[in-house]
Amino acid sequence: MAVKKTPQKKRKIAFIAGSRGEYGYIRPIIEEIQKRSDLDYGLIVSNMHVLDTFGSSIEEIKKDNLKIHAAIHNTLDGYNHLTMTKSLAIFLLQLPEYLRQMDADMLVISGDRGEQLMGAIAGAHMYIPVAHIQAGEISGNIDNLTRHAIAKYAHLHFAANKDAARRLIKMGEQSFRVHMVGAPQLDELVQQRVTPAGVLHKKFDIDRTKPLFLIAQHPVTEEFDKAEHQIRETFNALDRFGHQSIVVLNNSDAGSAAMRNFILNNKRPYMRVVSNMPREDYLGLMRIADVLVGNSSSGLLEAPTFKLPAINIGTRQYGRVRGTNVIDVRTHSAKAIVAGITKALSTAFKKKIKQCTNPYGDGRSARRIVDVLQSTPIDEKLLVKRITY
C-alpha cells in the first residue's frame, strides 16, 4: 500500500458543510487554521447550504470570506427515504474529484449527517486521513448509526466529553486516535460572538417586555410520515401560551417538505417564521429567549451555556448527554409539550438551571483540534487502522 507522506507544502485541510449546524462546528476551526502559517484549508459546500428553499446559507459562508473550493448540488426533491438516499449517492459520486483537485492532506468531518459519512468513506478509500468532530456520541435516529459508521472510517476522533471518549475506546478504536477536546461550536459563545439583544429586538420586532419562545424542530427520519402531525402538536401546544415566537424552518431530512409546508401554511399571528439566519443571530436569540422548543441539538449543545431551558421533544436526541437545562418530552403530544413548557417557565426551574454547566466543554476547542491536525504525522501508523476488539 502506498502511504501518503507528510507534505512539505502547507498542510491542506478539507471541510464538508451540508447543513446550518455543521457550519457552527467548523467556522472556529477554520479561523484558527488561518492563524497558522503552515496550514491551509478548503470548503466543500453542499445540501441545504446551496438551496434557496433552505435560505441559501452559502451566502453566510461567503460573507465570512471563507474559501469555498466547490459547491455540490446533490439534494433531490421529494424529501423522503428514497430521495434522501439517492442524494447522498450523488454527493459521494462527485466528492472524490473535488478532494483530488484540492490536493487535500486531511479531511475534517463534523457530526452525524449523511454527507459527512460520504466524506468519511471517500477520504478513507483515498487514504486521506479523516478527522471526526464530536465523535462517539449517541442520539436517537439514523444520525446515531451514521456517527458510529463514521468512527470506523475516521483516523482521528475529536470527542466532546469523557462519555464519548470512553465509548470510542469500547468501539475498538486505538487510544492514540481519541482526543477529548470539547465541542468547537461553543467557542463562539465564550467569545461572545452573538448579535446584541437590542439589534435582535429591532430586527425581529421583539417586545422585550414579553416572553420569547424560540422554535427549532426537525423531522425524525424513522418517523418521517408523522412529521406533519408532530409539528401540529407543537403548534397546538404553543397556542396554549400565545407568546411571541420565532420559528426556524426545519432541515432537509425525510419528512421535511410536509413539516415545512405545515409551518408556512399554519403560521400563527404571534409567530415569525425564518428560513435561515446568521449563526450570530441564532445564538443571540438563544441568549434572550425564555425557552427553546423542538428537537434541535442546539438545546443540548449550546443552550446550557446560556442557561436556556430547552424542551426536547421525541426521540431525535435520545440517549445524548444533556445538561440540567433540558426537559425531555418523550411523546409528540400537545398536552406533554404544554407541561414541559410550563415547567421551563416556572420560577423553581429557572432557579435550578442558574447552576447549569455545559457537558460539552469550555468553549476553547478549536485550538486543541487544530493543534492535533497540525502536529499528527501522516504515516502508516495513522492510515492503517487496527481494531482493538
Side-chain angles (χ1 to χ4, degrees), residues 247-275:
V247 181
V248 183
L249 284 176
N250 52 278
N251 66 22
S252 63
D253 288 347
S256 63
M259 183 172 284
R260 177 177 294 265
N261 290 338
F262 179 86
I263 293 172
L264 294 175
N265 293 325
N266 293 273
K267 176 186 171 185
R268 303 329 199 216
Y270 58 83
M271 289 181 178
R272 177 162 184 158
V273 177
V274 182
S275 62

Side-chain angles (χ1 to χ4, degrees), residues 5 10 44 59 93 117 173 204 213 311 367:
K5 297 180 179 179
K10 288 185 177 182
I44 297 173
E59 297 305 320
L93 182 64
L117 175 58
E173 296 301 304
F204 294 100
F213 287 9
I311 309 302
R367 183 173 180 177

Side-chain angles (χ1 to χ4, degrees), residues 215-286:
I215 318 302
Q217 184 164 323
H218 304 289
V220 180
T221 311
E222 293 82 0
E223 304 166 6
F224 83 102
D225 55 337
K226 301 176 182 176
E228 181 177 332
H229 165 75
Q230 291 173 350
I231 193 63
R232 185 189 301 275
E233 289 296 297
T234 299
F235 273 38
N236 288 341
L238 295 173
D239 286 340
R240 292 283 298 274
F241 299 90
H243 293 316
Q244 58 185 339
S245 301
I246 296 176
V247 181
V248 183
L249 284 176
N250 52 278
N251 66 22
S252 63
D253 288 347
S256 63
M259 183 172 284
R260 177 177 294 265
N261 290 338
F262 179 86
I263 293 172
L264 294 175
N265 293 325
N266 293 273
K267 176 186 171 185
R268 303 329 199 216
Y270 58 83
M271 289 181 178
R272 177 162 184 158
V273 177
V274 182
S275 62
N276 184 54
M277 68 175 70
R279 178 165 167 79
E280 290 88 348
D281 285 3
Y282 186 70
L283 295 177
L285 288 170
M286 291 181 75

Side-chain angles (χ1 to χ4, degrees), residues 33-177:
I33 285 174
Q34 290 174 320
K35 300 174 184 176
R36 315 278 177 115
S37 61
D38 56 348
L39 295 179
D40 195 7
Y41 75 95
L43 259 171
I44 297 173
V45 181
S46 70
N47 192 16
M48 289 186 284
H49 283 301
V50 298
L51 297 176
D52 292 341
T53 305
F54 297 92
S56 295
S57 47
I58 189 173
E59 297 305 320
E60 183 181 349
I61 300 174
K62 292 177 179 177
K63 188 177 179 180
D64 288 334
N65 292 316
L66 300 188
K67 292 188 297 184
I68 298 174
H69 178 80
I72 298 178
H73 291 258
N74 65 299
T75 306
L76 298 177
D77 199 1
Y79 304 106
N80 54 45
H81 289 160
L82 175 63
T83 59
M84 190 175 174
T85 306
K86 292 178 72 173
S87 296
L88 294 177
I90 292 170
F91 184 71
L92 179 57
L93 182 64
Q94 298 184 67
L95 181 60
E97 293 293 345
Y98 288 121
L99 291 173
R100 178 179 288 180
Q101 284 178 15
M102 192 189 298
D103 194 20
D105 298 297
M106 284 183 154
L107 173 60
V108 174
I109 299 298
S110 309
D112 58 7
R113 294 187 58 79
E115 289 84 11
Q116 305 296 330
L117 175 58
M118 298 304 102
I121 292 172
H125 283 83
M126 295 176 73
Y127 288 91
I128 298 171
V130 175
H132 184 201
I133 301 170
Q134 286 202 252
E137 296 174 22
I138 56 176
S139 52
N141 64 355
I142 188 65
D143 295 345
N144 186 46
L145 304 181
T146 300
R147 190 187 304 268
H148 296 297
I150 290 172
K152 288 302 150 198
Y153 286 104
H155 304 87
L156 293 170
H157 310 285
F158 295 128
N161 48 47
K162 291 180 180 179
D163 178 73
R166 284 193 294 262
R167 188 171 293 108
L168 288 161
I169 299 300
K170 289 180 180 178
M171 290 171 63
E173 296 301 304
Q174 295 164 292
S175 59
F176 81 88
R177 301 181 184 277

Side-chain angles (χ1 to χ4, degrees), residues 8-24:
Q8 298 302 311
K9 63 177 179 61
K10 288 185 177 182
R11 181 171 285 188
K12 190 72 168 285
I13 313 295
F15 293 85
I16 294 172
S19 72
R20 297 173 302 209
E22 291 161 358
Y23 188 50

